[in-house]
Amino acid sequence: MANATSSIYHTCLLVLDKLAKVNGMETWLQMNNDMDPLTSLCQLCRRGLPLFTLFNALQPTDPLVPDHNPKLNELNNCKANVYHFLVACRKQLMFPEEELFTVSDLFVDDTNGSVKVVHTVDKILQILQDKGIIQPSMTPSKSQDPAPKDTRDKVMLELVATERKYVQDLETLQNYMRDLQQQNILTQDTVHYLFGNLNSLVDFQRRFLIQLENLVEKPAKEQNVGRLFMEMEDAFAVYEPYCANFYSAQDLVVQEAPKLQTSTHELTSYLIKPIQRICKYPLLMNELLKNTDKAWPLRAELETGLDAVRRVTEKINETQRRHENEQILIDLKKRVDDWNDISIERSGRLLIQDKLTYTDKGEHHEREYHVFLFEHQLLFCKQAKEQKNRLPMSNSIRKQRRRGASLDPRGNIATCLITGVYNRPSVDGNLQVLLEWLDNGAVRYFELKFRNEEQCQLWSSILKKHTSAAFDHPTPTNPSFGVPDEDDSDSEASTPTPVMPFARSRSNSFSAQLISSLTGSSNSSNGFSHRPKATSSSSTGTTTPQVFSLSMSSSGIQAPHVHPEELDIFPSSPPPSTPSSPIHASSRVASANGIHGILMPAAHAPSLSSTTVTPSSAAMAATNTPASSIALSTPMEPQDYFASRQLTAAGQLKVKLVFNDGRYSILIPRDISYMELVDRVEQKLSLVGEFTPGSPALRLKYRDEDGDLITINSNDDIQMALETYCYANIHLFVNV
């Protein structure tokens, strides 16, 4: 019903103009003056009796006679009249049933049925015109748009003309889909997966085009396109499932190519048109805004409309990205043969992924990783080298074709330990982001380089949103990376398994394990060494488990240090809020294999009363703090960096209280009881004048990784809150 110069809007105008010349129809037409042409025509036909008037104008041998049934209500009497009209068209006018609309087509609010109504009515009017019963319309056709007077008119006409062409293309695709269904070329399920919610999309775009055509008929100062986009912002959600399904549909086109009656390229070019169109709306709206006089009253609504359409495209992009990430995660699970104790099931939703260049401690030696940012961890992977004699050649080829090249996880960082995301000045045209993360009190840094500004901004915004870096901090100057020099080795013997940063290792600091698992090397001179892969003993039949747990060494408890340079994952939100109570830390260590090798940081576990955490030499030098004073304490940072967040006295944690519109800091011991915490909070708020003794008891809450506020009622709740925040950026929300 649409083409480059006309549309259903103009067709309905012509049909209504012809109906006005049918005897007895003028009274009915006057009832629907305030509606758009399509709605007006459909409302007219839903009354039933106007269809009798139209049919009887043909002077048939058996005219239709109104027969009101008192047993039916008004709506059902109208439907009965419509039914009698359709029967008369089939029997007396010999209209094929497939060319007629149905009662449901007329009474259901869907333009896919309304188009059939318009076609049937127009067909009868054409017969009346051919018989000379009515005269051809002398009203000039409005399908030809007036010549543009200025640049704004040109933009407006381009918006309307391209919208008509777009609706025409959608209708062509819809007709092709119906042919496939009618001829049973594809199964109904396959058609559904191929075209998605195309019918709903066509229905929406027809309605949108009708409103747009109605605007273009008005003077320029009354063409409030901004309000149109605002009013239909929610309805644009129809694009989300279609766009999310596009890449799956594209693959299905290739798969079903032998059955399709057109080239795969032509079909794909039609399937992608909705994605192309939704991306063009902001551009056209922006041009319209630039060429609209600032003194015009509708300009403000035009700006608001531009914001609305941008929100629409952002939502669609996010929905499509989520769907793509779900498919990428499925593929990732197939491509990794050995997860090295990384629990992918506990990583949360995949947020973003790409191949990025990683650089550590300002060195010029760069490494490329496939980085995956999940809600709960940042994962770095590298393409695995082929292992000779692992599979027969034919099986290897089949496996590669089915799933792509294998990936080796090289390391991972819990997103709750990423405390800073800073956009760095471009070097040699490269855009890069500096990431700060905490390693048992030591601040570590690494850089990720990006190909273009769009990619850099996307990663930066997602990292800041889903990590502890969401809090605003000043950009560090000349940061100390505190990471040992390492060689890049991909040999099987030297590549350790990656770990979550909130786990503990038998003999390594966490930073060393992260670095060595990414670079495949060790540096014992700096106190760093990587953990070897699990090996079986032929004499005892035992296996060294590939899991990080707490154990004693000559230098105390040390956490593995993993280097995030070769990982291609996205950072995520804090770890799950369901860890065991700190009291049971020793039992969690013993059953580490049962929880996929991921251990939450323990606070005051009985078995750790005499143990210490040995910090890196860089962190020790920066603070002159003995190792025993930072055992399982808050993250430590360089002395001249983020003074407000530096380590407090030994065994003390810094907590921010959020009360009304204010934020206040207090120091608490790690083993504070619930009643002691409440007293501390009341004292602080009384001191700043925000709380009066004798007022109703305060309620304390913390925010879990899902963003929900959890009430603190006991000692165990306090420890759960501390573990959720990983002892960094602890915020408690206070209300009465």
Side-chain angles (χ1 to χ4, degrees), residues 410-429:
R410 294 303 182 87
N412 57 331
I413 304 177
T415 51
C416 63
L417 297 184
I418 298 177
T419 57
V421 178
Y422 312 104
N423 293 330
R424 304 278 285 176
S426 58
V427 179
D428 299 330

Side-chain angles (χ1 to χ4, degrees), residues 81-93:
N81 291 334
V82 173
Y83 173 75
H84 292 313
F85 165 78
L86 294 173
V87 172
C89 287
R90 284 200 305 269
K91 291 183 177 180
Q92 298 189 52
L93 302 182

Side-chain angles (χ1 to χ4, degrees), residues 287-518:
E287 284 298 313
L288 198 60
L289 180 63
K290 287 196 303 183
N291 292 281
T292 298
D293 193 325
K294 294 182 179 180
W296 286 13
L298 56 79
R299 182 179 172 85
E301 286 187 300
L302 198 58
E303 293 175 346
T304 308
L306 176 58
D307 293 336
V309 74
R310 283 173 175 167
R311 287 193 297 270
V312 167
T313 56
E314 289 173 0
K315 288 180 182 178
I316 293 172
N317 286 336
E318 179 61 25
T319 301
Q320 185 174 3
R321 190 182 300 114
R322 286 191 179 190
H323 181 78
E324 292 173 8
N325 287 340
E326 290 173 1
Q327 302 303 315
I328 290 171
L329 181 57
I330 293 174
D331 182 63
L332 175 63
K333 292 178 180 179
K334 294 178 181 178
R335 296 176 65 184
V336 176
D337 296 321
D338 185 1
W339 283 102
N340 298 328
D341 300 316
I342 295 178
S343 176
I344 194 66
E345 302 301 331
R346 294 184 58 179
S347 299
R349 182 167 52 90
L350 178 61
L351 303 174
I352 189 172
Q353 60 80 37
D354 212 331
K355 288 185 178 180
L356 303 177
T357 301
Y358 171 94
T359 305
D360 185 52
K361 67 170 186 178
E363 63 182 14
H364 295 291
H365 185 67
E366 299 177 343
R367 297 176 179 86
E368 185 180 83
Y369 290 97
H370 199 135
V371 183
F372 300 84
L373 175 59
F374 293 87
E375 288 180 308
H376 302 306
Q377 69 167 320
L378 183 64
L379 174 67
F380 297 83
C381 294
K382 201 164 189 177
Q383 184 169 328
K385 291 186 176 181
E386 293 186 13
Q387 298 182 12
K388 296 182 179 179
N389 302 324
R390 183 176 180 182
L391 290 173
M393 182 61 67
S394 58
N395 289 341
S396 298
I397 293 175
R398 273 199 299 271
K399 191 172 183 180
Q400 257 191 338
R401 287 177 178 175
R402 185 173 64 253
R403 67 170 191 176
S406 297
L407 291 176
D408 278 342
R410 294 303 182 87
N412 57 331
I413 304 177
T415 51
C416 63
L417 297 184
I418 298 177
T419 57
V421 178
Y422 312 104
N423 293 330
R424 304 278 285 176
S426 58
V427 179
D428 299 330
N430 292 320
L431 298 169
Q432 53 196 21
V433 169
L434 175 69
L435 279 80
E436 169 197 272
W437 59 285
L438 298 174
D439 170 27
N440 287 324
V443 180
R444 308 288 178 179
Y445 301 92
F446 64 90
E447 291 177 339
L448 296 177
K449 291 186 178 181
F450 302 91
R451 295 184 298 273
N452 51 59
E453 183 176 359
E454 181 181 2
Q455 184 192 34
C456 181
Q457 290 179 349
L458 180 61
W459 272 82
S460 178
S461 62
I462 295 178
L463 281 165
K464 291 177 180 178
K465 181 179 179 181
H466 292 276
T467 67
S468 297
F471 300 98
D472 293 332
H473 305 309
T475 303
T477 57
N478 301 322
S480 171
F481 283 75
V483 176
D485 294 329
E486 303 192 52
D487 298 326
D488 187 14
S489 172
D490 291 323
S491 64
E492 180 69 21
S494 63
T495 303
T497 54
V499 298
M500 293 291 282
F502 40 81
R504 297 289 185 266
S505 170
R506 289 182 173 79
S507 60
N508 302 340
S509 82
F510 168 69
S511 299
Q513 183 60 38
L514 180 55
I515 294 173
S516 59
S517 66
L518 295 178

Side-chain angles (χ1 to χ4, degrees), residues 6 85-86 115 147 150 186 196 216 222 225 297 302 323 406 414 418 426 482 507 514 578 650 692 704:
S6 185
F85 165 78
L86 294 173
V115 168
D150 51 27
L186 300 175
V216 81
E222 299 178 17
V225 184
L302 198 58
H323 181 78
S406 297
I418 298 177
S426 58
S507 60
L514 180 55
T578 56
T692 303
D704 66 7

Side-chain angles (χ1 to χ4, degrees), residues 448-709:
L448 296 177
K449 291 186 178 181
F450 302 91
R451 295 184 298 273
N452 51 59
E453 183 176 359
E454 181 181 2
Q455 184 192 34
C456 181
Q457 290 179 349
L458 180 61
W459 272 82
S460 178
S461 62
I462 295 178
L463 281 165
K464 291 177 180 178
K465 181 179 179 181
H466 292 276
T467 67
S468 297
F471 300 98
D472 293 332
H473 305 309
T475 303
T477 57
N478 301 322
S480 171
F481 283 75
V483 176
D485 294 329
E486 303 192 52
D487 298 326
D488 187 14
S489 172
D490 291 323
S491 64
E492 180 69 21
S494 63
T495 303
T497 54
V499 298
M500 293 291 282
F502 40 81
R504 297 289 185 266
S505 170
R506 289 182 173 79
S507 60
N508 302 340
S509 82
F510 168 69
S511 299
Q513 183 60 38
L514 180 55
I515 294 173
S516 59
S517 66
L518 295 178
T519 60
S521 62
S522 62
N523 192 333
S524 57
S525 63
N526 288 284
F528 297 91
S529 62
H530 63 77
R531 177 171 55 86
K533 285 183 177 287
T535 56
S536 300
S537 172
S538 58
S539 60
T540 63
T542 61
T543 302
T544 303
Q546 299 182 35
V547 61
F548 291 88
S549 59
L550 292 169
S551 63
M552 293 297 297
S553 69
S554 59
S555 58
I557 298 178
Q558 299 177 340
H561 184 167
V562 182
H563 216 181
E565 28 187 15
E566 295 185 4
L567 307 184
D568 279 344
I569 49 178
F570 303 90
S572 63
S573 54
S577 59
T578 56
S580 303
S581 170
I583 298 175
H584 306 294
S586 58
S587 63
R588 295 209 314 275
V589 171
S591 61
N593 280 320
I595 56 172
H596 309 289
I598 298 180
L599 298 176
M600 301 299 292
H604 269 320
S607 61
L608 304 179
S609 58
S610 61
T611 62
T612 60
V613 177
T614 303
S616 66
S617 57
M620 293 289 292
T623 60
N624 296 320
T625 305
S628 59
S629 68
I630 62 169
L632 293 177
S633 66
T634 52
M636 180 175 60
E637 306 182 55
Q639 193 169 12
D640 60 344
Y641 181 55
F642 295 166
S644 62
R645 298 172 58 205
Q646 282 189 358
L647 181 66
T648 61
Q652 297 284 311
L653 296 176
K654 189 174 186 179
V655 175
K656 285 190 177 181
L657 305 177
V658 181
F659 184 70
N660 292 335
D661 295 328
R663 294 195 177 201
Y664 314 97
S665 297
I666 61 172
L667 297 178
I668 64 171
R670 294 190 305 275
D671 56 351
I672 191 171
S673 68
Y674 171 68
M675 294 306 300
E676 290 173 338
L677 178 60
V678 173
D679 289 341
R680 291 280 188 95
V681 173
E682 288 183 350
Q683 291 174 9
K684 180 65 177 180
L685 295 181
S686 298
L687 186 63
V688 297
E690 291 287 347
F691 180 77
T692 303
S695 300
L698 297 175
R699 287 182 292 176
L700 306 180
K701 298 182 180 182
Y702 70 94
R703 194 181 299 279
D704 66 7
E705 76 282 354
D706 295 323
D708 299 325
L709 290 176

Side-chain angles (χ1 to χ4, degrees), residues 19 22-29 31-32 40-57 64 66 78 81-82 85 121 124:
L19 282 173
V22 176
N23 289 334
M25 194 67 71
E26 186 175 354
T27 304
W28 295 108
L29 290 173
M31 297 181 181
N32 304 303
S40 178
L41 181 58
C42 288
Q43 288 286 6
L44 179 74
C45 295
R46 286 170 186 166
R47 299 178 185 275
L49 294 182
L51 293 176
F52 280 28
T53 302
L54 176 64
F55 182 84
N56 292 337
L64 293 173
C78 291
N81 291 334
V82 173
F85 165 78
V121 173
I124 295 177

